[in-house]
Amino acid sequence: MHKNNLSAERTSELIEILAERFTSNMHRHKDLDWQQILVKLQQHPEKLWSLDQMEISGGEPDVIRCDQDSHTYLFIDCSPESPMRRSLCYDHQAWESRKANKPSGNAVDMASVMGVEILSEQQYRELQLLGKFDRKTSSWIKTPDSVRNLGGALFCDFRYDMVFTYHNGADSYYAARGFRGCLEI
């Protein structure tokens, strides 16, 4: 079996988890039909591995929308707090620049290995319309080159009933900061 393929047993378990989450959170996707999503998942079994990576790292992925033009579904980490992929600096360059106390890794590379993207600020704000996420944690978001080239990186959280976007040195890392992934299928 290829390393990025799931066993038949794990595929069945994951589909069951995703179906239950979909049904339990209809407010996130009122106009979507699970059977259509299931067909799309079956057409793209290679994407199940990435969804499983989101799941086993505590992301609780759920579909939040369908692009009607491309007929692609967007899955996002919907765990109440930033998934347990935390204490990561922003990207490899930031990780390399640390001379001491390097974290175990970085968010951009970890997302790439998982086969997902880090949320953009727009996607993060869209997620917050579906619930209240990151009330105690924060999540790195895609950072514009203009900020990253100056050594910074952006992150968001939800406090005082609103989304805040902040900056930090890209090489910083905190136990309460992770990243949320998204995956188009």
Side-chain angles (χ1 to χ4, degrees):
M1 178 180 354
H2 187 271
K3 75 171 185 130
N4 288 359
N5 288 336
L6 298 180
S7 68
E9 180 180 355
R10 181 57 186 161
T11 296
S12 179
E13 290 171 358
L14 181 61
I15 295 290
E16 189 174 312
I17 290 167
L18 295 172
E20 171 62 31
R21 186 169 296 130
F22 181 88
T23 303
S24 298
N25 294 285
M26 291 304 296
H27 64 282
R28 294 182 189 154
H29 35 248
K30 293 176 186 158
D31 299 327
L32 300 183
D33 177 359
W34 174 252
Q35 289 307 310
Q36 292 176 349
I37 296 166
L38 181 57
V39 167
K40 188 66 115 168
L41 290 171
Q42 292 167 337
Q43 291 170 344
H44 297 280
E46 73 282 1
K47 300 282 189 167
L48 289 171
W49 184 85
S50 294
L51 283 170
D52 193 49
Q53 293 300 297
M54 293 168 79
E55 182 65 32
I56 63 177
S57 60
E60 301 179 23
D62 197 6
V63 64
I64 65 160
R65 69 172 140 90
C66 177
D67 182 299
Q68 297 303 321
D69 295 331
S70 64
H71 196 62
T72 58
Y73 294 96
L74 183 66
F75 281 82
I76 286 185
D77 285 317
C78 290
S79 55
E81 300 300 335
S82 190
M84 292 310 299
R85 29 190 135 93
R86 299 186 194 159
S87 294
L88 305 166
C89 55
Y90 181 71
D91 61 12
H92 187 77
Q93 178 185 357
W95 184 83
E96 282 286 330
S97 74
R98 289 197 66 94
K99 302 298 181 217
N101 303 316
K102 285 189 179 196
S104 62
N106 69 81
V108 170
D109 285 351
M110 184 177 281
S112 178
V113 167
M114 293 171 62
V116 302
E117 296 284 329
I118 293 177
L119 295 188
S120 67
E121 183 177 1
Q122 179 183 341
Q123 289 167 328
Y124 189 91
R125 289 180 181 281
E126 179 180 356
L127 175 65
Q128 292 291 357
L129 296 175
L130 304 174
K132 293 180 180 178
F133 302 92
D134 287 339
R135 290 178 287 178
K136 299 175 188 167
T137 57
S138 61
S139 296
W140 289 115
I141 60 170
K142 281 184 188 172
T143 298
D145 289 342
S146 60
V147 173
R148 186 61 198 95
N149 290 339
L150 296 172
L154 302 179
F155 66 95
C156 291
D157 64 23
F158 187 84
R159 304 290 194 274
Y160 307 107
D161 287 330
M162 63 186 296
V163 173
F164 287 89
T165 301
Y166 307 91
H167 61 89
N168 229 158
D171 63 344
S172 65
Y173 63 97
Y174 300 93
R177 182 174 310 144
F179 72 92
R180 292 180 180 276
C182 63
L183 180 67
E184 276 190 7
I185 301 176

